[in-house]
Amino acid sequence: MPFINSIFKENDEPEVVTDVEVKEEGPKKTNVDSTKTVSILNTSAQELLSSTESGLSAIEELKSTMESIASAAEQSAGAAEESLGAVSEIKLNTSDILKMSTNSSKMISKLEDSIQVSSMKITDSSENMLKIASSAEHVAEVGDRLSKAGEEISKTVNLITKLAKRTSLLALNAAIEATRAEEKGKAFSVMAKEIRVLSSKSNVYALKIKDVVEAIQVNVKNVQSNIVQTKDTVVVASKNATQNAQDMKELIATLIEIVKAVNQSLEEFKLLDEEIIKMQLSAETIASAAEESAGAVSEVTQTISMQATAFNQSNAAAKMLDDLAKQIQQDSSSQNLVNDLASAAEELSSAIEEIENSMAQSVVALSQIQEAAGISKDDAIKSEAIAKKAEDVTQRVQKTIEGVKTQMESIKDNFKNNVESVSTAGIDSKQNLKNSVEILKEAKDIKKNIKYLQKMLRKIELTIVQTAALSINGSVEAMRIGELGEGFSVVSNDIRNLAENSEQSLDQINEIVDNLEDETESIIEAIDKMQVLGVKEADDLIVLASDMGVNTKEIDITVEVFREIYQKLESIVYAISQSKIGAQQTVTAADLSHNSATESRVAADHISDISQKMAENVTDLIEVAALLKDK
């Protein structure tokens, strides 16, 4: 060393030796300047003592920065663990949502098909109801005609009754004329009596017809009352069915849009799934870097502990050397002191070597910490960007699913109303069937009464024919007896005229009754048609209501699925926000770790400089000790 070289010279150099003289005899020895040697010894000892104290201070500083690094590593590890937990939750929920969305999409498509079938059935039902309503309207119209026909029959029957009464009066006149003709009028008397009997029969028959017509009128009123109720019910049900079918078509259109929205969300979720994998890889990288950093921190901490021990030992040795230097200054010839000096210097040299080796390891570990911090920061920044992208995707999907959920809830309410409407239509159809049975019974009673009416009309017709025949016979007999039969001839002509009028009225009644019979048959046919359609309609509506009830349960399940999906999306949004927070914490921790590691590197470099200087001082001490031994 320069300052060591300065304290001794070769023998051939002329020099004034102050304290030590080299004798001529014996081996060649170096001339040593004891004062300068001791001065250098004191200086080196003081520098060593100062270096160890500075080293201890640097060690404390290194401890402080390592504590910051350890705290940052712990924070980073905690954030990584939290991010991994959030990512795991996101993955689990995303996987569930993908499955649930796929299943719900299939369920909605199946529901769409079912509602399509229900819509077609409801449309058919509406058409059948319109047919029933048409038949009911026909029955109502026929009922009106029957009622009017009954009134016409009643009027005509009243006319026939009047004609019968007049015929009876004429027959009485004929009897009077027969009495006036005495013996020649006996035939007139018999005819008059027969005409009165026939007239009486006609009157009785007419009264019976009147009763029958009144019964028919009652039947018609009952038919009209029931058929109007049935018609009104069916028309309302048909309108409801038409509206239901329209509602179903709108539901189907909505369901198609929902399936599209869900499928679009599925596609976006597949992208989200890819982003989540990236987030997981980043979180795993951060966790691995945090673990590596923690390991490096542990290694540096252990090294610092060793270095602290070494510096404490070095400090103690430096103090000892300082004491020895002072003692040697008093007595530089003491070989024991010189030996102690050499021994202490050797021990200190070993401690310094240990410090240098451990510090080299610390520098490597600090480099690893800096590298790990850089990796953590880069991945945390990437993770935060991915989380933001995932958050955007999730929020878009969440908005879509919220809309789907709202639509499904609306569909649920509307569909339930449709089911209730169909169910009510089924119940009404059953009631209409009961009404149609009553209507059919009334119609058959009308038919039965018409048959009886026709029977009475034939009897009246017979009495009219017989009356007409008797009037003709009376006219012939009146002509035969001459002047005495003139009055009877007039009466006979009047009776014949009344019979002809009665016959004309009867023809009108027969025509009305024939139409009445045809109309009644058409009523029966219409009611039979109504019953056939009604039975099918009632059964179909009841089955349809049951099937739609199953659809309602499926809609309920789908609504609940979308509610659960929405809740899971909220969990994902929260987990992503936690992941973002974890990424931000990781960035903060990485910056702290990197800055602290940089400060630690400065402290480590300072310690390395100190240990190098100490090594130089120890080398000087060892050389000084060697010189003193050779003095």
Side-chain angles (χ1 to χ4, degrees), residues 123-336:
T123 301
D124 292 341
S125 175
S126 176
E127 292 174 356
N128 288 335
M129 287 177 185
L130 288 176
K131 291 177 182 177
I132 293 173
S134 177
S135 297
E137 187 174 3
H138 172 70
V139 171
E141 290 173 354
V142 171
D144 288 337
R145 292 198 292 271
L146 288 178
S147 181
K148 291 177 182 178
E151 292 173 359
E152 291 296 322
I153 291 172
S154 294
K155 290 178 182 179
T156 307
V157 168
N158 287 334
L159 178 61
I160 291 173
T161 302
K162 290 178 181 179
L163 292 173
K165 288 180 179 179
R166 288 180 65 186
T167 300
S168 181
L169 288 173
L170 289 171
L172 180 61
N173 290 335
I176 293 171
E177 288 295 324
T179 302
R180 188 174 64 82
E182 295 179 350
E183 189 66 28
K184 291 182 179 180
K186 286 183 179 179
F188 294 141
S189 179
V190 173
M191 284 188 291
K193 185 178 180 181
E194 288 181 358
I195 288 172
R196 282 202 307 273
V197 170
L198 290 173
S199 178
S200 177
K201 285 183 179 179
S202 291
N203 193 49
V204 170
Y205 294 149
L207 291 174
K208 288 184 177 179
I209 288 173
K210 196 171 183 179
D211 291 339
V212 171
V213 170
E214 287 178 355
I216 290 173
Q217 291 286 57
V218 171
N219 293 139
V220 169
K221 286 181 180 178
N222 291 336
V223 167
Q224 285 179 315
S225 176
N226 286 329
I227 205 66
V228 167
Q229 182 182 355
T230 299
K231 176 190 170 185
D232 291 343
T233 303
V234 172
V235 168
V236 170
S238 176
K239 288 181 179 178
N240 289 339
T242 301
Q243 185 60 50
N244 287 342
Q246 183 61 36
D247 290 344
M248 293 290 194
K249 290 178 182 178
E250 291 175 2
L251 290 182
I252 291 168
T254 303
L255 288 172
I256 291 172
E257 292 302 316
I258 286 174
V259 170
K260 288 181 181 177
V262 172
N263 289 337
Q264 182 180 354
S265 295
L266 283 172
E267 291 302 318
E268 288 196 271
F269 248 96
K270 288 176 183 177
L271 295 176
L272 178 62
D273 202 34
E274 294 174 2
E275 298 303 318
I276 297 307
I277 292 173
K278 294 177 183 177
M279 285 177 66
Q280 184 179 22
L281 291 174
S282 293
E284 288 173 351
T285 301
I286 291 169
S288 177
E291 185 178 353
E292 182 179 348
S293 181
V297 168
S298 177
E299 183 179 344
V300 173
T301 301
Q302 290 177 359
T303 304
I304 289 172
S305 179
M306 293 170 57
Q307 290 169 352
T309 302
F311 267 109
N312 282 323
Q313 291 174 350
S314 297
N315 184 256
K319 289 178 179 179
M320 182 186 296
L321 288 170
D322 186 53
D323 289 339
L324 288 173
K326 291 176 180 178
Q327 292 178 29
I328 290 173
Q329 187 177 11
Q330 298 297 324
D331 184 8
S332 61
S333 63
S334 174
Q335 286 300 311
N336 289 333

Side-chain angles (χ1 to χ4, degrees), residues 303-473:
T303 304
I304 289 172
S305 179
M306 293 170 57
Q307 290 169 352
T309 302
F311 267 109
N312 282 323
Q313 291 174 350
S314 297
N315 184 256
K319 289 178 179 179
M320 182 186 296
L321 288 170
D322 186 53
D323 289 339
L324 288 173
K326 291 176 180 178
Q327 292 178 29
I328 290 173
Q329 187 177 11
Q330 298 297 324
D331 184 8
S332 61
S333 63
S334 174
Q335 286 300 311
N336 289 333
L337 291 175
V338 172
N339 289 336
D340 289 342
L341 175 65
S343 176
E346 290 293 340
E347 290 181 8
L348 186 56
S349 177
S350 177
I352 291 168
E353 185 179 356
E354 184 179 344
I355 290 172
E356 289 180 336
N357 291 335
S358 62
M359 189 50 63
Q361 295 174 1
S362 296
V363 169
V364 172
L366 288 169
S367 296
Q368 291 175 346
I369 291 171
Q370 287 179 312
E371 184 179 356
I375 292 171
S376 293
K377 183 175 181 178
D378 289 343
D379 276 273
I381 292 171
K382 291 178 184 176
S383 183
E384 186 176 6
I386 294 169
K388 182 65 175 67
K389 184 177 179 181
E391 187 177 46
D392 291 341
V393 172
T394 305
Q395 287 176 344
R396 285 200 306 273
V397 173
Q398 191 178 26
K399 186 176 181 181
T400 300
I401 293 302
E402 185 177 17
V404 167
K405 180 171 69 72
T406 301
Q407 286 179 310
M408 286 303 300
E409 287 172 346
S410 176
I411 287 173
K412 174 184 173 181
D413 295 336
N414 292 335
F415 196 77
K416 282 185 176 179
N417 292 335
N418 290 332
V419 174
E420 289 175 3
S421 179
V422 170
S423 180
T424 301
I427 294 171
D428 289 342
S429 293
K430 285 289 186 182
Q431 184 60 45
N432 289 339
L433 283 175
K434 292 181 181 179
N435 291 342
S436 67
V437 170
E438 293 297 324
I439 295 170
L440 185 60
K441 181 178 178 300
E442 297 288 349
K444 287 182 176 179
D445 285 344
I446 292 172
K447 184 177 181 180
K448 182 180 177 182
N449 287 328
I450 288 173
K451 294 292 184 185
Y452 185 75
L453 179 62
Q454 288 172 332
K455 182 179 178 181
M456 292 299 101
L457 289 172
R458 283 194 295 272
K459 287 184 178 182
I460 289 176
E461 184 179 11
L462 181 59
T463 61
I464 291 171
V465 170
Q466 289 175 344
T467 300
L470 286 172
S471 68
I472 292 171
N473 289 336

